[in-house]
Amino acid sequence: MSYIVYSISSRILDSYIIYESEVVICFFDHMPINDGHILICPKEHYDNIMDLPEDIIF
């Protein structure tokens, strides 16, 4: 998934971006579970959600 997030944040892949900051990017899911399904992803790669620093989570 990190490659996809990188490709979207680098504008290699098209996506409807809802919000973007230096640390996160939010965009509509390409295959949504329901209407309005948005993915909120850190721009930096982490192997596990438990590796995310607290300043990104909160």
Side-chain angles (χ1 to χ4, degrees):
M1 174 126 154
S2 64
Y3 180 74
I4 293 170
V5 173
Y6 171 79
S7 297
I8 290 172
S9 66
S10 300
R11 307 307 193 269
I12 296 169
L13 290 177
D14 288 335
S15 184
Y16 189 81
I17 297 171
I18 305 298
Y19 174 80
E20 184 173 14
S21 72
E22 292 181 15
V23 293
V24 299
I25 187 164
C26 308
F27 51 91
F28 280 109
D29 193 338
H30 179 70
M31 297 177 67
I33 294 171
N34 50 22
D35 292 340
H37 186 176
I38 296 173
L39 299 174
I40 303 170
C41 304
K43 288 185 172 181
E44 193 171 324
H45 176 79
Y46 297 94
D47 289 330
N48 186 314
I49 193 167
M50 300 304 287
D51 295 337
L52 286 168
E54 283 189 23
D55 61 332
I56 292 177
I57 298 171
F58 301 105

